[in-house]
Amino acid sequence: ANNLLDSEDLEDIDPTSIDNSPSVTLEIVRLTYAKGLPIAGQHFKSSQELWKAIIAFEIKLLEKERSDEQVERVRKLFLDRLSIAHEQIDESFSEYSSFETNFGNQYEKRLLEANKSVQKVKEIVNERDPWERSLV
């Protein structure tokens, strides 16, 4: 039997009540995300919805019970996202900045490092853009 959730299920999950659900566990939610990201999480135009849902879920867990482990989990999600070419990369960077403002430490250092990654991704996109436009 497939224990993964579909996208509609993921959108409806309230992380603050997940402990009370016998059928939806935190492990199943994270496993679903882990299976979906390598496929849908790479799409240049439409991956943002999936990433935003995952990050929002993990931030709700962080707000419910703050821990260094959860801060690092959310930070890694943001940094993974910022290392992938996507149309809304500036929006993702802005959301990461807000996250670090609210939950992080070493704000300036972390944002400078993330910005380096974003700039590399943007360079790759700019190099590919003329070629990809010629395919349309």
Side-chain angles (χ1 to χ4, degrees), residues 26-45:
L26 185 56
E27 181 180 355
I28 289 174
V29 172
R30 287 184 174 151
L31 180 60
T32 301
Y33 287 151
K35 294 277 187 181
L37 279 177
I39 301 162
Q42 307 291 319
H43 193 276
F44 184 76
K45 288 194 175 281

Side-chain angles (χ1 to χ4, degrees), residues 3 19 26 28 44 51 55-56 58 74-76 90 104 116 118 122 125-126 135-136:
N3 289 334
D19 296 334
L26 185 56
I28 289 174
F44 184 76
W51 279 95
I55 291 170
E58 294 292 348
V74 175
R75 181 175 289 126
K76 181 174 179 347
D90 291 328
K116 287 178 189 174
V118 168
K122 285 182 174 184
V125 169
N126 288 335
L135 297 175
V136 178

Side-chain angles (χ1 to χ4, degrees), residues 51 70-82 96 99:
W51 279 95
Q70 187 63 15
V71 169
E72 286 302 318
R73 177 177 282 111
V74 175
R75 181 175 289 126
K76 181 174 179 347
L77 282 169
F78 272 115
L79 294 176
D80 287 350
R81 179 61 174 149
L82 293 171
Y96 174 63
F99 165 76

Side-chain angles (χ1 to χ4, degrees), residues 42-102:
Q42 307 291 319
H43 193 276
F44 184 76
K45 288 194 175 281
S46 61
S47 62
Q48 186 76 344
E49 190 174 317
L50 176 61
W51 279 95
K52 285 183 86 158
I54 294 168
I55 291 170
F57 177 84
E58 294 292 348
I59 286 176
K60 284 181 185 175
L61 287 174
L62 178 59
E63 290 169 342
K64 178 182 175 189
E65 187 173 333
R66 188 172 179 147
S67 71
D68 291 344
E69 178 183 350
Q70 187 63 15
V71 169
E72 286 302 318
R73 177 177 282 111
V74 175
R75 181 175 289 126
K76 181 174 179 347
L77 282 169
F78 272 115
L79 294 176
D80 287 350
R81 179 61 174 149
L82 293 171
S83 70
I84 298 169
H86 61 289
E87 192 171 56
Q88 308 86 352
I89 197 162
D90 291 328
E91 177 185 338
S92 297
F93 185 77
S94 177
E95 291 169 359
Y96 174 63
S97 175
S98 295
F99 165 76
E100 287 295 349
T101 297
N102 294 323

